[in-house]
Amino acid sequence: MPIDRSFQTTWKQTETHRNHSVWHSKTSELGIHGTRVAVDFDECTGCMKCLKLCPEEVFELLEVSSSLLKADPVNESACLDCLACELVCPEEAIFIMRKPQESDTLSALLD
Ligand code: SF4
Ligand code: SF4
């Protein structure tokens, strides 16, 4: 299931982890890490596509348990809003917070 893009209004911020917020809903297990660069840990498979693509090294691979790897947005403040990670993620586990004029991915990329 794709990341819930309304998590900031419908999920609760429950903790801070490595300088970013962690959000939970009633049904989430691992939660969403990050706000400007948000990764749904329940959907992320640790495929590393976003890590390899990101020009700013926003993500680090986090081992949450034995052989369970997640893309942790440890450097979300460095994000350039290029949206490449959001597009490449096969699980639709990433959401980049849009600026007001960037309502969808395609128009943002064409700007
Ligand atoms: S591309 Fe998606 S599934 Fe792969 S590591 Fe990044 S967030 Fe996880
Ligand atoms: S939008 Fe671009 S700069 Fe920001 S985290 Fe994704 S790939 Fe990195």
Side-chain angles (χ1 to χ4, degrees):
M1 188 188 309
I3 186 170
D4 181 354
R5 293 178 171 218
S6 65
F7 71 94
Q8 283 187 72
T9 53
T10 56
W11 295 40
K12 282 193 176 156
Q13 185 182 345
T14 53
E15 60 189 291
T16 301
H17 173 248
R18 299 183 75 186
N19 294 326
H20 57 259
S21 296
V22 181
W23 306 76
H24 277 94
S25 70
K26 285 180 183 167
T27 56
S28 71
E29 188 177 335
L30 299 174
I32 289 175
H33 278 235
T35 304
R36 182 174 177 192
V37 178
V39 180
D40 189 333
F41 270 25
D42 290 317
E43 304 299 329
C44 173
T45 59
C47 72
M48 294 185 60
K49 288 186 177 180
C50 58
L51 279 87
K52 290 175 183 167
L53 202 61
C54 179
E56 293 299 311
E57 299 183 355
V58 165
F59 305 98
E60 278 184 12
L61 211 54
L62 176 70
E63 188 171 6
V64 295
S65 64
S66 177
S67 73
L68 190 60
L69 301 173
K70 305 294 174 182
D72 202 18
V74 295
N75 197 19
E76 65 175 353
S77 62
C79 177
L80 302 172
D81 305 327
C82 73
L83 305 179
C85 58
E86 192 183 284
L87 285 170
V88 81
C89 178
E91 308 302 328
E92 298 183 58
I94 301 175
F95 176 60
I96 304 299
M97 189 193 298
R98 303 293 196 275
K99 294 184 180 119
Q101 68 273 23
E102 294 175 346
S103 57
D104 67 66
T105 300
L106 184 57
S107 63
L109 285 173
L110 293 175
D111 270 349

